[in-house]
């Protein structure tokens, strides 16, 4: 029998020590463990050593391959921007509206199917679900290089969005089922930094592939799609062996390690690693939770800016006076800087628990960057603005997801909420349908070049109103709720309930303290 340890000062960030027993504010004990402790009798130093080894094992098994998958996914969804400046629009005889429609249709299928994919991921298991959807989007990407007209491009982009819909929300939910709340942010940041690396790598790769122009009767832009699509298919087959299931099923864990993983999550007030049957009440619980809606607001601000930036950065740079290959290469440095800052912010937010403050600070960089793009006609100032814009966008995406995952507890509820948050972000507020298509893919219009003032103004507004404003709002609401819980104003939620019933309250537990 373990000796109960008094609640530590780290409890607010979910960092309770192994072997601890939590208590409600009224002093009633809440037993969080019903799993044998494989390290019973060991000293705290020995426990910490075992915990570090376990964490390192999880990182090596999970993070590198999943990051590779997202690098490929982001490369595949945004390489149309590189293809455009290599002649895609002219060769397919697309009008400006038709090109924008080909961007828009991806986000429609991608966004609509994201909430559904979280349930499929849990039911089919990650080792099956993720490789299958990757195979499907690899085939769709390859077919994009074989199209000859507008309708073919629209069809392939629709299926690309449908197939990719499960990866980003799915992997973020999956990782949140392996790590403590205070450990998740840096892993999500490393995973998402692949998006910035894809921007860098995409520019270099596109510049190289353009030299294949004319080979096999195909233009350079077609080879971008074909080669990247075939590479995706190859990686999808390898993923059947490289992607692992949830902790209660993962084959690379020993029985003792499986107990350790699930125990450390339960001590962190999480139950997401355990099996649970889907019920519609989880769907409605997600919709009724105000944190789902504030998360959607914040994510709309950073994701709308993200796609506007990534889809049109090569075009923006080209309009500064730089030509095809040179423009592709100049798109690399802003992404590289963004990748480094993304990982740093993930580390900082984990250590401090200040996810909201990190969002606010980064949003200010983004606002400054797009103000420079909007206000200056100098290519040098505009190029500097792209660096600040990237810094203000990329770190906020994984940080916002981590913030939501930290504060929404429950096996299916968290997954469904992340699906809604990410799906809504990708629809950019479902759009302001009055403005022609999904916003981020349509605000940089050909008639507005070379300055693209309406596009820069819209992104600036998204950063200021939704990302910055939404983060301030959610931070204030979470702080107020934490104060009520510490003052015992929520203790009545647990009165008369068994230990199992209290645990199932998830983030409604009176002792669940939100990450700010």
């Amino acid at each position: 029998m373990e000796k109960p340890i008094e609640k530590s000062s780290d409890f607010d960030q979910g960092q309770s020590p192994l072997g601890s027993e939590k208590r409600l504010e009224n002093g009633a004990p809440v037993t969080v463990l019903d799993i044998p402790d494989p390290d019973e009798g060991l000293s705290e130093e020995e426990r910490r050593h075992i915990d570090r080894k376990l964490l390192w094992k999880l990182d090596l098994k999970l993070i590198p391959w999943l990051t590779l998958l997202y690098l490929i996914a982001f490369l595949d969804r945004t390489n149309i921007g590189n293809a455009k400046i290599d002649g895609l629009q002219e060769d397919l005889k697309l009008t400006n509206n038709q090109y924008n429609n080909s961007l828009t249709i991806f986000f429609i299928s991608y966004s609509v199917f994201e909430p559904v994919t979280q349930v499929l991921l849990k039911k089919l298991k990650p080792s099956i679900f993720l490789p299958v959807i990757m195979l499907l989007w690899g085939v769709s990407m390859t077919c994009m290089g074989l199209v000859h007209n507008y309708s073919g491009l629209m069809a392939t982009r629709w299926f690309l969005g449908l197939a990719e819909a499960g990866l980003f929300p799915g992997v973020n939910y999956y990782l949140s089922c392996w790590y403590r709340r205070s450990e998740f942010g840096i892993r999500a940041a490393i995973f998402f930094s692949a998006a910035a690396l894809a921007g860098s790598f995409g520019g270099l790769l596109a510049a190289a592939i353009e030299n294949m122009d004319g080979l096999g009767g195909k233009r350079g832009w077609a080879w971008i799609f074909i080669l990247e699509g075939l590479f995706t298919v190859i990686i999808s087959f390898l993923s059947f062996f490289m992607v692992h299931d949830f902790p209660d099923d993962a084959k690379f864990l020993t029985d003792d390690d499986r107990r350790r993983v699930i125990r450390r999550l339960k001590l962190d007030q999480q139950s997401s690693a355990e099996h649970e049957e889907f019920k519609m009440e989880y769907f409605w619980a997600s919709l009724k939770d105000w944190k789902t809606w504030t998360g959607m607001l914040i994510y709309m601000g950073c994701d709308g800016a993200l796609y506007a930036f990534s889809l049109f950065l090569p075009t923006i740079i080209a309009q500064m006076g730089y030509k095809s290959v040179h423009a592709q290469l100049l798109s690399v440095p802003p992404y590289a800087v963004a990748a480094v800052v993304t990982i740093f912010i993930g580390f900082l937010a984990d250590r401090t628990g200040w996810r909201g403050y990190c969002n606010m600070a980064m949003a200010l960089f983004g606002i400054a960057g797009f103000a420079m793009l909007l206000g200056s006609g100098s290519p040098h100032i505009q190029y500097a603005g792209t660096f600040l814009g990237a810094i203000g966008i990329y770190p906020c995406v994984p940080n916002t997801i981590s913030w939501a995952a930290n504060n929404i507890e429950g096996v299916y509820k968290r997954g469904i909420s992340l699906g809604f948050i990410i799906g809504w972000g990708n629809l950019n507020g479902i759009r302001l349908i009055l403005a022609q298509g999904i916003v981020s893919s349509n605000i940089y219009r050909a008639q507005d070049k070379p300055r693209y003032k309406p596009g820069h103004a819209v992104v600036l507004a998204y950063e200021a109103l939704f990302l910055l404003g939404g983060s301030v709002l959610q931070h204030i609401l979470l702080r107020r709720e934490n104060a009520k819980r510490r003052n015992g104003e929520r203790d009545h939620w647990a009165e008369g309930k068994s230990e199992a019933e209290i645990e199932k309250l998830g983030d409604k537990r009176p002792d669940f303290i939100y990450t700010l």
Side-chain angles (χ1 to χ4, degrees):
M1 187 77 175
E2 296 178 65
K3 294 181 180 179
I5 301 173
E6 291 184 3
K7 187 166 72 175
S8 76
S9 59
D10 289 333
F11 175 73
D12 287 3
Q13 298 305 328
Q15 299 174 347
S16 302
L18 286 171
S20 68
E21 177 188 81
K22 296 192 177 72
R23 292 181 175 273
L24 297 180
E25 297 296 330
N26 61 13
V30 179
T31 303
V32 296
L33 299 178
D34 52 11
I35 299 168
D37 181 5
D39 304 318
E40 186 173 3
L42 298 182
S43 68
E44 285 301 312
E45 181 60 35
E46 289 171 321
R47 284 177 178 272
R48 282 193 291 270
H49 176 70
I50 291 172
D51 200 48
R52 284 194 297 269
K53 286 181 63 176
L54 175 63
L55 202 57
W56 182 240
K57 180 179 182 178
L58 298 183
D59 288 342
L60 289 179
K61 285 288 185 179
L62 303 177
I63 305 299
W65 195 258
L66 294 175
T67 301
L68 173 65
L69 299 193
Y70 192 57
L71 186 152
I72 295 170
F74 206 83
L75 188 66
D76 287 349
R77 80 182 61 165
T78 59
N79 57 13
I80 192 170
N82 299 106
K84 181 189 178 186
I85 66 173
D86 194 40
L88 166 74
Q89 187 170 351
E90 292 77 13
D91 290 348
L92 296 185
K93 297 179 173 59
L94 304 179
T95 66
N96 292 329
N97 282 339
Q98 285 177 328
Y99 174 75
N100 284 338
N101 289 342
S102 71
L103 303 183
T104 299
I105 198 168
F106 170 89
F107 293 105
I108 293 175
S109 57
Y110 185 83
S111 304
V112 167
F113 288 99
E114 275 183 317
V116 180
T117 60
Q118 304 308 288
V119 178
L120 292 176
L121 175 72
K122 190 71 177 176
K123 283 187 171 293
L124 298 181
K125 297 185 176 182
S127 62
I128 300 297
F129 179 75
L130 295 178
V132 166
I133 64 171
M134 192 175 193
L135 174 62
L136 294 176
W137 95 60
V139 171
S140 300
M141 173 55 54
T142 304
C143 290
M144 279 179 62
L146 306 177
V147 301
H148 299 286
N149 52 40
Y150 172 60
S151 59
L153 183 63
M154 288 289 282
T156 53
R157 290 286 292 178
W158 165 269
F159 284 109
L160 180 67
L162 174 63
E164 282 200 26
L167 184 72
F168 185 64
V171 170
N172 276 286
Y173 168 60
Y174 171 75
L175 289 177
S176 74
C177 295
W178 281 92
Y179 294 99
R180 292 175 177 175
R181 291 192 285 165
S182 61
E183 299 164 346
F184 175 54
I186 182 63
R187 276 85 187 173
I190 292 171
F191 169 67
F192 183 74
S193 67
L197 292 175
S200 297
F201 184 63
L204 294 171
L205 190 60
I209 295 176
E210 282 178 13
N211 295 321
M212 297 177 64
D213 189 38
L215 184 65
K218 293 290 182 186
R219 290 294 310 276
W221 62 262
W223 281 113
I224 292 175
F225 295 144
I226 293 170
L227 293 183
E228 293 179 10
L230 291 176
F231 181 69
T232 301
V233 170
I234 293 171
I235 295 298
S236 72
F237 283 110
L238 294 177
S239 294
F240 282 102
F241 306 97
M242 299 298 292
V243 175
H244 302 281
D245 291 322
F246 290 102
D248 58 346
D249 260 346
K251 300 295 188 293
F252 74 91
L253 291 176
T254 64
D255 288 340
D256 280 349
D257 278 347
R258 182 171 291 107
R259 293 187 187 100
R260 291 183 181 108
V261 171
I262 296 177
R263 281 173 59 86
R264 71 199 306 274
L265 290 175
K266 290 173 74 70
L267 284 163
D268 193 40
Q269 299 175 304
Q270 296 189 57
S271 58
S272 302
E274 298 182 287
H275 178 73
E276 187 174 329
E277 293 299 324
F278 174 74
K279 299 175 184 176
M280 278 304 295
E281 66 185 75
Y282 303 133
F283 176 85
W284 297 118
S286 172
L287 279 183
K288 292 175 183 177
D289 191 335
W290 62 267
K291 300 188 299 297
T292 300
W293 296 95
T294 53
M296 289 162 66
L297 178 70
I298 299 168
Y299 198 73
M300 178 172 67
C302 52
D303 216 42
L306 168 74
Y307 283 112
F309 186 85
S310 59
L311 287 168
F312 287 94
L313 181 61
T315 300
I316 293 169
I317 293 176
Q319 292 305 318
M320 293 177 190
Y322 303 104
K323 301 305 177 186
S324 187
V325 174
H326 198 185
Q328 303 277 26
L329 295 176
L330 283 176
S331 69
V332 173
Y335 286 121
V337 171
V340 173
V341 176
T342 296
I343 294 173
F344 172 73
I345 291 299
F347 172 81
L348 180 65
D350 273 357
R351 285 299 180 92
T352 62
W354 296 343
R355 301 204 187 280
Y357 290 127
C358 288
N359 258 13
M360 297 172 209
M362 291 300 100
L364 293 176
F365 279 100
I367 290 169
F370 281 95
M372 291 167 66
L373 285 165
L374 184 62
S376 175
S378 167
H380 298 295
I381 294 176
Q382 287 184 313
Y383 190 53
T386 64
F387 281 84
L388 293 179
I391 291 172
I393 294 171
Y394 279 84
C396 294
V397 174
N399 190 56
T400 299
I401 295 302
S402 300
W403 200 10
N406 281 179
N407 292 326
I408 299 175
E409 180 50 39
V411 175
Y412 281 105
K413 181 186 174 186
R414 181 191 297 167
I416 293 168
S417 291
L418 289 179
F420 276 120
I421 290 168
I422 296 170
W424 180 264
N426 285 312
L427 273 176
N428 291 275
I430 234 179
R431 158 44 302 134
L432 305 126
I433 281 182
L434 302 175
Q436 50 160 322
I438 304 233
V439 177
S440 70
S441 60
N442 285 283
I443 57 176
Y444 286 96
R445 304 172 303 177
Q447 60 263 39
D448 298 323
K449 64 183 182 183
R451 293 288 302 280
Y452 293 107
K453 286 188 175 182
H456 297 326
V458 170
V459 176
L460 181 61
Y462 265 58
E463 290 260 321
L465 295 177
F466 303 130
L467 177 54
L468 179 58
S471 296
V472 170
L473 174 64
Q474 179 165 282
H475 177 84
I476 292 172
L477 294 177
L478 290 173
R479 183 175 289 279
R480 287 180 178 176
E481 181 59 29
N482 279 351
K484 291 180 180 179
R485 295 185 179 198
R486 290 193 178 99
N487 292 334
E489 296 177 39
R490 303 304 192 202
D491 287 358
H492 64 277
W493 288 350
E495 290 176 0
K497 288 183 170 60
S498 66
E499 293 170 357
E501 289 173 329
I502 292 173
E503 187 172 346
K504 287 185 177 181
L505 289 174
D507 54 81
K508 287 286 189 180
R509 287 174 52 160
D511 62 343
F512 188 99
I513 302 299
Y514 291 124
T515 300
L516 299 178

